[in-house]
Amino acid sequence: MARGRRVRTAATAFGRGPRAALAAAAVAAGLVLAAAACGTTVPMGAPTQSPTATTSASVPAATRTAELNASTELEQWLLNPQSGTITYNTIQVTSGGSVNVMTMLTGPFAPSGAANLTGTIETLGSGTTTTDDASAVETQTRLYSTIPTAQQTGDLADKQWNTTQVNATWQNDAMHSGWWQVLFQAQDLKMEGVTGLGGASVDVFSQVIDLAQLPNVPSSLLDSEALRKAGTTKVEVDVETLTGSGKLAKVIYKLGLPAAIDISATATSTAGYEVDLSNLGGPSPTPSASPTPSATAPAPETIADGEGDVDLAAMLLF
């Protein structure tokens, strides 16, 4: 018997008021509903259907328990997120399919909306690959991304950064991006197997979620350049938990083309995006947890008038 997918509301993702540092703070501030007829309270955004799931006879009980635990671990982290490491990978197929540009950035993030990322941009074209250093800083709802050195000429001389608004694809007065809502709906995760992460064994769970079918996902995200180039609204969510303890180790959301430098465009997709969140505040399988980012806006005289990395801005969780 197929197991039904639980649909959840979006009120915790898109509450009114100033942007909170933690989702739990919003819950504590009063985002609860009185449960009719019983006098108890439940968080807004809780499942709208019964938490009792139908279990298939073909799924071992231990597997089903692990799947439910993965969903619970993810939900609890979303309600009280901790600082960690974010890794952003994207592939863009341009110039009629003859040039591939792959961006790889990683660094610490804080759920208050701060990140400090460094990495590279690889360009594959005409049989050659070039690599440039790249950086991005998120702070105070703005994203600053570096301008390649080769382009810092003419009007861009001495200009090192472009900038864009992070919450341009969010609901008005939202505390989180639409990706928070996507992850909050990952309540039907299926176990895919076991892999390694930083020398530890982790169980891998996955679910495909269609943004277009979720309530309250902002139209500005659905209409964003990132989703247009990805050519799909279907997002794969992967959750990794430590084998044995079941503690949350890593969260991934991705859509569009696989993030590989030699990938080819399809009839509907010219880009792919993957965001990995790890070192999420609990026992970490990696050598050390990421520090809270020291995210400071660049000096005004180094910022150009051009628009920054709107795709990265649209893909950020906080």
Side-chain angles (χ1 to χ4, degrees), residues 41 75 100 109 171 180 186 188-189 198 204 217 246 250 258 293-294 302:
T41 60
E75 177 183 314
N100 285 16
F109 78 92
Q171 292 277 38
W180 192 93
D188 195 23
L189 293 165
V204 181
V217 169
K250 190 175 184 179
S294 177
T302 67

Side-chain angles (χ1 to χ4, degrees), residues 193-204:
V194 179
T195 190
L197 178 65
S201 174
V202 292
D203 299 328
V204 181

Side-chain angles (χ1 to χ4, degrees), residues 105 151 206 247 268 272:
L105 297 170
Q151 298 178 21
S206 184
K247 294 297 183 181
T268 58

Side-chain angles (χ1 to χ4, degrees), residues 85-89 109 250-253 274-278:
T85 300
I86 182 172
T87 300
Y88 169 76
N89 292 320
F109 78 92
K250 190 175 184 179
V251 179
I252 303 168
Y253 53 98
E274 179 176 322
V275 177
D276 301 359
L277 307 172
S278 58

